Amino acid sequence: MADTLVIVESPAKAKTIGKYLGSKYIVKASMGHVRDLPKSQMGVDVTRSYDPKYITIRGKGDVLKSLKDAAKKVKKVYLAADPDREGEAIAWHLAQYLNLDLDQPIRVVFNEITKDAIKEAFKHPRHINMDLVNAQQARRILDRLVGYNISPLLWKKVRKGLSAGRVQSVTVKMIIDRENEIRNFVPEEYWTITSKLLSDGKAFEARFHGVGDEKVELHSEEEVNKILEQIKGQSYVVKKVQKRERKRNPAQPFITSSLQQEAARKLNFRTAKTMMIAQQLYEGIDLGKEGTVGLITYMRTDSTRISVTAQTEAKEYILEQFGPEYVLAEARDPAKNERAQDAHEAIRPTSVMRTPDSIKEFLSRDQLRLYRLIWERFLASQMASAILDTMSVDIDINGVLFRASGSKVKFPGFMKVYIEGNDDSGNEDESFLPPIEEGQILVEQSIEPNQHFTQPPPRYSEARLIKTLEEGGIGRPSTYAPTLETIQKRGYVALEEKRFVPTELGEIVISLMEEFFPEILDIEFTSQMESELDEIEEGVIEWVKVLDHFYPEFAKRLKVAEEKMEEIEIKDEIADENCELCGRHMVYKMGRFGKFLACSGFPDCRNTKPIVKEIGVACPSCKIGSIIERKSKKSRIFYGCNRYPECEYVSWDKPIARPCPKCGQLLVEKKRKKQGVSIACTACDYQEEADS
């Protein structure tokens, strides 16, 4: 008969752990937090050391009764929530509710849900860490003080349903600041000169670098023509050849933020989706005969540390699968990040021997893709560096310097398994130069000057935004997903072509915040606040002092804002069409996924429809309609006939207005990650490069 109760957060985790612990243990799930601050009021007494008023969360009655009944029937209760601030707080709230003795070691933590890790963890229970609990309490109370004071002000002065938060407000401001950079950007002209040269009949490209030994930038066609005149009819003489070996190290194993970024880049996953699937992989997947197993270590971490056991297992696998030359001679030092808590390992597979292909039949498509990403990244991080042969060639043409460079993989090392993505488009393929010697005369095949203009900074993608938040010390990796969701739900920003764009509402709210609550939007202030929360966790500072440092000044600003903030009316932009249901004007509205049309008669008339974007191409199917740009439920752009549903023509590829020169049929734009954009015929083998 069971004499020990173990409480975790989720049923999936309970199921996996229950299998390892056996019949003497009852494992139950709390379904997340059981107590929180009330939704109907502030719930924080600022006059009594920010004393929080916790209540049981609505709807948790049956769960709590079940836990209380179970606790009465056993000798011991262990709290095994996740190993972070949030998990520690859940454990503390459960201990309070169940009247458990906090002087006893009732807390069990583990970084992975495997048989050995679970059994070892239960051999070493510890006391609840009140520093961790207080760090979570301080964050929760801090966010409540900001949100529950500023939000009603925004409802009154701007629009109902708005909210303001510490991290979300800074995030929206960053998106607005980037948009302003783009709006104010003044393009500058610059030119390049590319020469296609031959060495022993093999072609390669060299670019204009400067005059003599001095690097020169070209800003006008006049400057370009002077260079072209100077080198016209002159010999290309190889002045210097530099060859060297270069090592390339693999990316470190994943932490939460880098996993979110890479999943966005390589898998096209939204941040919330990445975390949801990672949670499933962590809590356990049924692998048939092997049973339910946690496939990855805990997914909320900012440490790149790897256990010796995992390193040893990876070394054995690499030796067996790739050979001794691919084995890492000695372990690399983890990346040093002064903000990292280092409480957990990096995100890695619980066993590298559990390859993606060996378990793919048990995983959904998305689970397999994310697991493969984590598995490959970890394995690559434990492999030998790649070795590249690089070559740089300086070429003199009558005092003008052209330069060519290339590299070739000499030894692939970790690149056999995985190469990290990046946010910037462009081909990373290695290019190698033909054999070239100093003093050699090269043959010019062609020379091409090109005009360019500098580009504004890009709008933030999810990956780029998360990276910037992390670099600025804003929030914590676990907060990024809910933050990005919230700012879209509130209508402060929208996603357009997978990039964040601020809305008029977002700009109005942030302008008010800048005027009345500048410290909330100050990146350094927010980063410092995160550091202080970390210091609470480390036991360096008391949580009440951190709140005292913030609240009195904030309360003064709040009083000024209540008196001086003016009401703002946001008028809808009227569209050039009427509602087909009631005849009133349609207006432009901004939703989570960009602009749409809605009837101005809302709520009497709730008609809405997408904004139609014509691309100037006749429908190739019905020959009557025209092709419009549309969006799928997952916000992916596709193309279809404007006569739908009468005509059901659809295409993921963008149709082109001119016919194929070879067969006269439809041309479409093809987008490929590595090859870029090309034009292809839908009926024959004709292809061409798209204009850049």
Side-chain angles (χ1 to χ4, degrees):
M1 186 176 167
D3 62 358
T4 304
L5 171 65
V6 178
I7 304 174
V8 297
E9 295 102 320
S10 74
K13 193 172 171 184
K15 181 183 174 186
T16 311
I17 292 170
K19 184 193 75 171
Y20 297 140
L21 292 176
S23 59
K24 289 190 176 180
Y25 292 80
I26 301 170
V27 186
K28 285 184 168 286
S30 70
M31 310 300 288
H33 277 278
V34 293
R35 297 199 311 174
D36 196 6
L37 298 172
K39 287 187 176 180
S40 58
Q41 55 182 276
M42 176 75 70
V44 178
D45 190 342
V46 295
T47 64
R48 295 181 58 193
S49 300
Y50 309 97
D51 185 33
K53 176 189 174 183
Y54 291 117
I55 62 167
T56 55
I57 294 170
R58 183 180 291 179
K60 285 292 177 80
D62 290 344
V63 171
L64 287 168
K65 184 178 183 303
S66 170
L67 294 176
K68 199 160 226 179
D69 289 345
K72 289 174 183 174
K73 297 173 185 174
V74 295
K75 294 177 183 176
K76 289 182 183 175
V77 178
Y78 287 122
L79 306 170
D82 287 343
D84 56 13
R85 287 178 191 168
E86 215 65 36
E88 205 72 17
I90 289 172
W92 179 73
H93 283 295
L94 282 166
Q96 295 284 315
Y97 183 79
L98 297 173
N99 294 316
L100 302 182
D101 186 354
L102 291 176
D103 291 329
Q104 293 298 312
I106 56 175
R107 179 82 167 107
V108 175
V109 292
F110 34 81
N111 193 47
E112 58 186 74
I113 303 177
T114 57
K115 188 173 185 177
D116 290 345
I118 297 300
K119 296 218 163 186
E120 186 63 25
F122 275 87
K123 288 178 186 175
H124 307 284
R126 62 166 173 79
H127 293 86
I128 287 177
N129 184 332
M130 286 309 298
D131 291 333
L132 272 173
V133 173
N134 288 333
Q136 190 274 346
Q137 278 200 113
R139 177 188 290 280
R140 186 75 188 92
I141 292 168
L142 192 61
D143 290 342
R144 176 57 66 102
L145 291 173
V146 171
Y148 269 54
N149 278 304
I150 299 180
S151 297
L153 200 57
L154 295 175
W155 300 349
K156 186 178 173 184
K157 306 291 186 179
V158 185
R159 180 186 289 176
K160 280 190 177 180
L162 300 183
S163 72
R166 283 185 321 113
V167 177
Q168 76 178 50
S169 298
V170 176
T171 307
V172 175
K173 185 178 186 299
M174 284 169 55
I175 293 166
I176 291 170
D177 287 347
R178 177 56 58 90
E179 196 67 19
N180 287 332
E181 282 182 65
I182 295 167
R183 288 168 185 159
N184 299 329
F185 182 80
V186 179
E188 291 183 13
E189 180 183 10
Y190 72 98
W191 288 72
T192 57
I193 306 173
T194 305
S195 187
K196 190 172 273 189
L197 303 171
L198 295 174
S199 174
D200 295 332
K202 293 180 179 176
F204 67 97
E205 288 185 348
R207 277 195 169 196
F208 169 78
H209 185 74
V211 177
D213 292 325
E214 189 179 340
K215 183 173 171 61
V216 174
E217 292 180 352
L218 302 172
H219 296 288
S220 68
E221 191 171 9
E222 185 182 354
E223 292 174 359
V224 171
N225 288 334
K226 278 184 184 177
I227 298 295
L228 293 175
E229 190 61 36
Q230 188 173 338
I231 66 176
K232 190 175 181 181
Q234 302 295 316
S235 297
Y236 286 75
V237 182
V238 178
K239 183 179 175 183
K240 185 167 71 174
V241 177
Q242 278 188 317
K243 296 178 182 177
R244 64 186 180 92
E245 257 187 18
R246 181 168 66 87
K247 271 189 175 182
R248 182 173 174 182
N249 290 326
Q252 294 272 8
F254 282 128
I255 60 175
T256 307
S257 58
S258 59
L259 175 64
Q260 291 169 349
Q261 292 168 52
E262 195 75 334
R265 286 190 287 249
K266 290 196 168 184
L267 307 180
N268 202 24
F269 282 5
R270 301 289 305 279
T271 307
K273 180 176 180 177
T274 298
M275 295 310 290
M276 178 188 73
I277 296 170
Q279 184 93 31
Q280 293 165 1
L281 297 175
Y282 164 70
E283 291 188 343
I285 301 292
D286 189 344
L287 301 182
K289 288 181 182 177
E290 195 179 349
T292 305
V293 180
L295 295 181
I296 64 170
T297 52
Y298 191 53
M299 65 284 157
R300 291 187 180 90
T301 177
D302 49 13
S303 168
T304 56
R305 184 173 53 81
I306 293 294
S307 71
V308 175
T309 306
Q311 288 175 14
T312 304
E313 190 184 55
K315 189 173 182 178
E316 290 171 6
Y317 181 87
I318 294 161
L319 184 64
E320 183 183 323
Q321 296 296 320
F322 299 97
E325 67 273 26
Y326 286 88
V327 174
L328 190 60
E330 62 179 72
R332 295 184 181 91
D333 288 334
K336 295 289 186 287
N337 177 357
E338 61 186 35
R339 295 191 186 97
Q341 300 303 291
D342 207 40
H344 318 301
E345 286 187 63
I347 303 168
R348 62 165 176 82
T350 51
S351 172
V352 78
M353 301 299 181
R354 212 174 275 117
T355 66
D357 286 339
S358 71
I359 59 171
K360 64 182 180 182
E361 65 181 292
F362 304 107
L363 302 178
S364 70
R365 179 174 177 268
D366 286 340
Q367 286 173 341
L368 177 62
R369 292 170 75 203
L370 191 66
Y371 180 70
R372 190 183 297 280
L373 193 71
I374 294 166
W375 186 90
E376 288 177 350
R377 172 89 162 215
F378 166 69
L379 187 66
S381 77
Q382 303 304 300
M383 292 176 75
S385 302
I387 299 173
L388 307 178
D389 275 335
T390 65
M391 188 173 173
S392 176
V393 179
D394 285 357
I395 304 157
D396 179 78
I397 316 102
N398 193 28
V400 174
L401 182 68
F402 273 61
R403 181 167 285 173
S405 59
S407 60
K408 186 179 182 181
V409 177
K410 184 178 183 180
F411 170 66
F414 74 90
M415 293 168 70
K416 274 249 186 189
V417 173
Y418 175 90
I419 300 174
E420 185 177 29
N422 65 63
D423 292 320
D424 303 305
S425 58
N427 202 334
E428 281 194 13
D429 290 351
E430 309 291 347
S431 60
F432 198 61
L433 301 176
I436 300 171
E437 302 295 332
E438 288 182 9
Q440 183 178 341
I441 306 294
L442 302 168
V443 178
E444 179 188 286
Q445 194 175 35
S446 64
I447 190 160
E448 188 178 356
N450 280 302
Q451 182 188 37
H452 309 272
F453 290 93
T454 54
Q455 297 297 308
R459 286 171 171 160
Y460 287 111
S461 62
E462 279 205 354
R464 193 184 290 272
L465 185 57
I466 288 168
K467 186 177 183 182
T468 310
L469 288 168
E470 184 186 30
E471 288 170 349
I474 300 162
R476 276 282 167 259
S478 59
T479 67
Y480 296 152
T483 297
L484 300 190
E485 287 292 306
T486 300
I487 61 177
Q488 290 173 80
K489 282 179 182 174
R490 296 285 181 261
Y492 296 154
V493 301
L495 270 181
E496 288 185 8
E497 297 180 354
K498 298 179 185 175
R499 303 276 168 162
F500 286 107
V501 182
T503 64
E504 182 191 10
L505 178 62
E507 297 201 38
I508 288 169
V509 168
I510 294 303
S511 69
L512 291 172
M513 295 278 289
E514 279 184 299
E515 183 179 352
F516 294 100
F517 304 100
E519 73 282 358
I520 300 292
L521 299 178
D522 184 76
I523 288 175
E524 282 189 25
F525 180 86
T526 307
S527 177
Q528 177 60 32
M529 191 64 72
E530 290 296 342
S531 297
E532 289 181 4
L533 290 170
D534 292 343
E535 287 176 356
I536 296 170
E537 181 173 325
E538 291 156 15
V540 175
I541 188 170
E542 290 181 19
W543 69 276
V544 173
K545 284 185 179 177
V546 171
L547 294 170
D548 259 337
H549 175 66
F550 166 78
Y551 187 72
E553 187 62 32
F554 173 71
K556 289 178 192 173
R557 290 193 181 278
L558 192 66
K559 196 171 182 182
V560 172
E562 285 169 346
E563 292 171 2
K564 296 188 176 181
M565 190 183 286
E566 294 180 4
E567 288 189 32
I568 294 173
E569 184 183 354
I570 302 174
K571 291 184 178 178
D572 292 318
E573 183 185 349
I574 297 172
D576 293 330
E577 61 179 288
N578 294 333
C579 175
E580 63 267 31
L581 299 184
C582 71
R584 282 176 276 206
H585 281 300
M586 296 294 279
V587 293
Y588 292 107
K589 294 278 189 183
M590 182 62 80
R592 291 181 66 188
F593 304 109
K595 279 187 175 180
F596 64 95
L597 286 168
C599 180
S600 59
F602 181 87
D604 298 331
C605 178
R606 295 175 178 266
N607 184 27
T608 62
K609 59 184 182 178
I611 295 169
V612 173
K613 186 176 177 183
E614 298 271 358
I615 65 167
V617 179
C619 178
S621 179
C622 69
K623 314 294 184 188
I624 302 169
S626 57
I627 300 300
I628 57 172
E629 186 181 288
R630 300 171 69 182
K631 280 188 179 180
S632 69
K633 286 181 180 177
K634 293 188 176 179
S635 245
R636 185 179 169 188
I637 290 173
F638 69 100
Y639 303 89
C641 182
N642 66 351
R643 295 181 63 246
Y644 178 84
E646 286 86 359
C647 175
E648 295 185 348
Y649 173 81
V650 289
S651 170
W652 289 114
D653 301 315
K654 184 179 181 179
I656 304 297
R658 56 190 170 86
C660 172
K662 188 173 178 181
C663 71
Q665 295 300 310
L666 181 71
L667 289 176
V668 293
E669 256 186 23
K670 291 274 187 186
K671 289 185 179 179
R672 298 286 184 269
K673 276 189 178 178
K674 286 194 174 180
Q675 294 86 350
V677 181
S678 64
I679 307 294
C681 180
T682 55
C684 72
D685 60 359
Y686 176 78
Q687 285 195 19
E688 64 180 63
E689 283 188 19
D691 294 333
S692 57

